[in-house]
Amino acid sequence: MAKLFPKDQLPHLHSTRDTRDRLDLITDSVPVGATHIRADRIVYHPGDTAARHYHTDCHHLFYILDGIGLIHVDDGTYRLTPGMVAVVGPSEVHWFENDTQAYLSFVEFWAPPPKETVWIKTDDV
């Protein structure tokens, strides 16, 4: 049987670093029984950036829903537009930046779920 979750019943995290917000889709807090994947919906407001980090043990996939922004990775910076998919591998440093005046939103997936996230600057999370 299908499980339906109204948006207001899903865990919602507001960043303490900036105005980004995250809506949990497939996590331990959303009872769907998935053990090999995790997913969130992320919205970056104009000017938001994430801290540089990496995950030691998973692939991280991002599907861009709306807006335009940047992904920074080990080998460069790339412009993201709606419909694009970006994938970073285990231990690949990455972070996002919304350098526009519009919202940037995407769904992110981890496979398998990360066991460890390493922040490059521990005071910038």
Side-chain angles (χ1 to χ4, degrees):
M1 172 176 229
K3 294 183 179 185
L4 304 175
F5 299 94
K7 180 181 174 182
D8 62 346
Q9 292 180 10
L10 291 170
H12 191 231
L13 174 74
H14 290 279
S15 173
T16 57
R17 184 178 188 274
D18 52 28
T19 59
R20 286 174 295 139
D21 62 71
R22 182 184 82 208
L23 186 66
D24 289 355
L25 302 174
I26 303 172
T27 67
D28 291 336
S29 301
V30 181
V32 297
T35 59
H36 300 296
I37 191 168
R38 292 291 179 262
D40 297 318
R41 190 269 299 141
I42 306 290
V43 176
Y44 278 64
H45 296 85
D48 284 347
T49 63
R52 295 175 186 194
H53 67 284
Y54 63 91
H55 312 283
T56 59
D57 51 0
C58 69
H59 283 81
H60 204 173
L61 180 143
F62 309 91
Y63 175 73
I64 309 307
L65 298 170
D66 194 31
I68 297 172
L70 300 171
I71 184 170
H72 302 278
V73 292
D74 288 339
D75 68 347
T77 297
Y78 301 92
R79 176 71 59 191
L80 300 169
T81 59
M84 290 181 79
V85 172
V87 179
V88 297
S91 298
E92 186 173 5
V93 175
H94 60 282
W95 72 100
F96 286 89
E97 177 183 355
N98 183 353
D99 63 339
T100 74
Q101 294 303 307
Y103 291 100
L104 168 65
S105 64
F106 55 87
V107 176
E108 63 180 343
F109 300 90
W110 294 271
K115 293 181 182 165
E116 182 181 13
T117 298
V118 177
W119 303 98
I120 303 304
K121 290 181 162 182
T122 57
D123 60 343
D124 187 32
V125 292

